[in-house]
Structure formats: C-alpha cells, structure tokens
Amino acid sequence: MREDLTGSDLRKVFEQHGFVTGSDCLLPLLRRAIKAAEVSDVTTLIEGETGTGKQVLAQAIHSLDGKRKNNAFVTVHCSTVSESLAESELFGHQRGAFSGAFANRRGLFQAARNGTLFLDDVNDLPLVLQPKLLDVLQRGTVRPVGSDFEVPIDVRIIAAANRPLEPLVKEGRFRQDLYHRLNVVRLELPPLRERPADFASLMLTFACRHAGLYRPILSVDPELLRFLESQPILGNVRELENAVQRMLFLKTEGASLTLEDWTRQVSTEAPGEKIDLMAQTANAVWRTISNGECGYGQALQELEKRVLEAAMSVPGSTRRKVAKQLHISERALYYKMRACGIASRIR
C-alpha cells in the first residue's frame, strides 16, 4: 500500500504530481491524501487559506487515483457561479430549454464523467444552489434543464474551501447536510507561515519552473530563508511564486537567491501591493523574543541600535543630518548613541 511509504518517498510521490513540500508537519496529511486517492470514490474536502495549494493537492489526488487518473479533472469555481445559469453550467440543458439554448449542452458534471469534479471555493456557493448540489451528490444523477430524464454520473468529488465550513454551518450560511456529505475525508492544508521548511523546496521548484526564461538557480541563501520565516506572506504559495519570478527577472548575477534579491523585488511592487515593512520587523522581533533569544527590552534596544547604525552609515552623514532624519534633537541622538554603546563615528 502506498500509504506505508517513508516520509521521503511520500514527498517524492507527491512532488512527481506537482505538490512540493519539505515539511514533516504535512506528512500525516499526505498519508491521508494518498489513502483517499486509493479509495477512489470517497468525497474529499480540502480546507486552507487562499494560495496554500488546495487545487494542486486535489490534482495530485486525482493523478494518484488509479481508476480515474486518465479521465478529466474539471474545476468549478463556485465563487463565480451565476445563480441564474448555475443549473445549466453544472447539469447541462436541452435545446430550447430557455431563450438562447440553441443546442444541447453537457454540464460540468457530465464533462467530468469517470474523472474528478473539483469544487473550488465551495464555501462561496450560493445558498440557493446548495440543496441542488446535495441532491446530485446523494442520487448520483443529474437532470439537464428542459429534460424529462435523469442522467447517471460517475464522478469523484473533491471540494476546497478557503474558510472553515463548520463555522459557516453554525451561522446558517452553509447547509449542514451538504457539509457532512462533503466532509468524508477532510484535509486541512496549513498556511505557509506554519511550514517554513517548505520555503527552500518551493523556491527552487519555482526557479526551475521558470528556468527557460531566466538564469538558472541552484540554491537559496540561508539568510533569506531565516528572514522569510518571520514574514507575513498572506498570499501563501501563490505570493511566494510571484515573488520568485520577480527575483529572477531582476537578478543579474549569481546562482543563488539571496536576501538582497528579495529586497529588490519588494521595492519594485506597486505601492498598493508593498509588503508592510514595519509588520515584517515587528514579526521578526517577536520571533526572536518568543524563541527565548533575548528579552523584550533587549530586543528593542538592539533594534534601536541597528536603526541608528543604518542612519549613520549613509555617506556624508553628520549628527545634525541624522537627528533631522530621525526627527529628534542632536542631544537626544547623542544620548541614544551612548545608551546603545555606539562610538561616535560622525560629527
């Protein structure tokens, strides 16, 4: 059985199908996923933040499904499904069923016949459509709009939610019976901030993926990896891939991705897309404190010392210029330099 694979072999299996990870914390999830692939007809629910790789994991499960892997993998974007056209999109329609129906049309359920239907962002499925979807899942048939006959379907259902469904059920925004129908096998994909061991493997994967357009990359500098562990990468894997592409585009030399490359690509983003550098710094300081490397007061003193050193390192700096840039008096600057143990290198 493939679920008996070692952690290293399990990672390799999923990497062959596009899902890359170096984190031990994901091994239990991968074992459940590979077992779900072997039990071909079991409905699977994948929950996780936007950009964590839910669709990639779903496609990997489909590819590992010996019964269905050679048939279609069809995606339904539930957040964009129109209530007025949903039944036609999902279940198909007969010619003349409504104005504009000039020919018979297969719905997405029929398009996924013998394969996998992936319900992406199922938490955004309009409430009015949820009982209709539940009926199809329970009966295993669809009735095209305008038809008097039901059509049997044989599809595997994998649903993904970018918000946990259980709280939505309690709020009355998602049907409880549909939730239980989807939640046979549940896979919770953690955000990138909880799996820092994935940074190196993902960045090298993305660099390799885009190697045809940019210079080859052989490694990721450890300093950059340590820095990324404290960063609020809200877009998760998707944001990281975009950042790697910008780094490759701007890189002019070297075969390693460095902290300098990261800083450079951040500075090229549009103003509305810039990462909050203050938040980055705060997260880094908190991580240092929480790891027990130093206390709160010591961390702040070290931070102030580095800010002063950075300000004084600018060519042509004088005490007056630095004080003006920091919006403090020269006297205050002098005492701060003494408190931080910084020898006066400027006048």
Side-chain angles (χ1 to χ4, degrees):
M1 299 288 285
R2 287 185 295 189
E3 63 263 30
D4 294 331
L5 294 170
T6 65
S8 177
D9 289 338
L10 191 59
R11 289 191 188 94
K12 289 179 182 177
V13 167
F14 277 89
E15 185 175 345
Q16 290 170 358
H17 297 285
F19 189 86
V20 177
T21 180
S23 297
D24 290 341
C25 69
L26 286 189
L27 291 179
L29 178 143
L30 297 184
R31 293 195 189 281
R32 292 197 299 274
I34 205 166
K35 187 173 183 179
E38 293 185 338
V39 185
S40 179
D41 295 329
V42 66
T43 303
T44 304
L45 172 64
I46 307 174
E47 291 187 339
E49 294 179 5
T50 297
T52 49
K54 297 185 295 295
Q55 182 166 357
V56 177
L57 180 60
Q59 288 176 316
I61 292 172
H62 170 76
S63 299
L64 290 165
D65 184 340
K67 176 181 175 182
R68 302 184 184 276
K69 64 182 179 181
N70 295 322
N71 298 306
F73 179 92
V74 177
T75 299
V76 178
H77 298 287
C78 296
S79 59
T80 62
V81 170
S82 164
E83 291 187 24
S84 60
L85 298 176
E87 289 190 67
S88 173
E89 289 286 331
L90 295 175
F91 314 137
H93 64 249
Q94 294 288 101
R95 178 181 177 183
F98 51 84
S99 177
F102 300 116
N104 293 344
R105 176 180 177 177
R106 292 190 311 162
L108 294 177
F109 271 91
Q110 293 182 63
R113 180 182 178 186
N114 299 324
T116 297
L117 188 70
F118 177 57
L119 303 173
D120 194 18
D121 294 341
V122 71
N123 51 288
D124 289 331
L125 187 69
L127 195 58
V128 68
L129 299 178
Q130 293 179 22
K132 298 176 182 179
L133 173 61
L134 176 65
D135 184 62
V136 170
L137 299 183
Q138 289 178 331
R139 293 159 56 88
T141 62
V142 297
R143 177 179 292 177
V145 178
S147 174
D148 295 327
F149 303 98
E150 293 188 337
V151 179
I153 56 169
D154 178 17
V155 299
R156 179 195 189 113
I157 301 295
I158 301 179
N162 57 30
R163 295 178 58 192
L165 291 184
E166 192 169 1
L168 298 182
V169 171
K170 294 178 180 178
E171 295 169 10
R173 299 168 59 186
F174 199 89
R175 288 181 63 104
Q176 186 176 46
D177 45 8
L178 178 57
Y179 168 65
H180 291 308
R181 184 65 183 81
L182 295 174
N183 189 31
V184 179
V185 174
R186 179 173 172 271
L187 303 174
E188 185 176 358
L189 198 51
L192 195 54
R193 61 181 173 274
E194 295 179 12
R195 32 196 265 231
D198 280 359
F199 280 120
S201 54
L202 285 171
M203 294 179 81
L204 288 175
T205 296
F206 299 146
C208 182
R209 180 179 298 173
H210 303 293
L213 298 176
Y214 308 108
R215 62 187 307 107
I217 296 297
L218 302 179
S219 64
V220 181
D221 190 279
E223 183 184 17
L224 173 56
L225 296 177
R226 288 193 296 271
F227 173 78
L228 290 177
E229 289 183 13
S230 65
Q231 300 313 296
I233 301 180
L234 303 179
N236 291 295
V237 179
R238 189 175 297 122
E239 179 182 338
L240 184 66
E241 180 171 12
N242 291 340
V244 169
Q245 282 189 268
R246 288 193 295 269
M247 292 166 74
L248 294 174
F249 178 78
L250 297 169
K251 195 169 184 64
T252 57
E253 60 181 14
S256 178
L257 294 178
T258 67
L259 180 55
E260 183 180 356
D261 294 325
W262 180 273
T263 304
R264 186 183 301 116
Q265 66 85 20
V266 169
S267 67
T268 64
E269 292 182 331
E273 298 175 342
K274 278 192 176 181
I275 294 174
D276 187 341
L277 296 180
M278 292 292 286
Q280 290 182 353
T281 304
N283 285 334
V285 171
W286 164 242
R287 189 177 186 86
T288 301
I289 296 170
S290 62
N291 286 343
E293 297 176 30
C294 64
Y296 180 67
Q298 183 182 352
L300 293 185
Q301 185 178 31
E302 180 64 22
L303 181 61
E304 184 171 41
K305 176 180 177 181
R306 296 194 182 192
V307 170
L308 294 175
E309 288 178 335
M312 292 187 296
S313 67
V314 177
S317 290
T318 64
R319 192 178 299 173
R320 176 176 294 181
K321 287 181 180 179
V322 170
K324 184 176 181 181
Q325 288 176 323
L326 296 176
H327 299 282
I328 60 177
S329 67
E330 290 185 55
R331 185 180 182 84
L333 175 60
Y334 172 74
Y335 282 114
K336 286 182 179 294
M337 291 169 61
R338 285 189 59 183
C340 291
I342 303 175
S344 180
R345 288 173 287 179
I346 57 175
R347 293 187 301 174

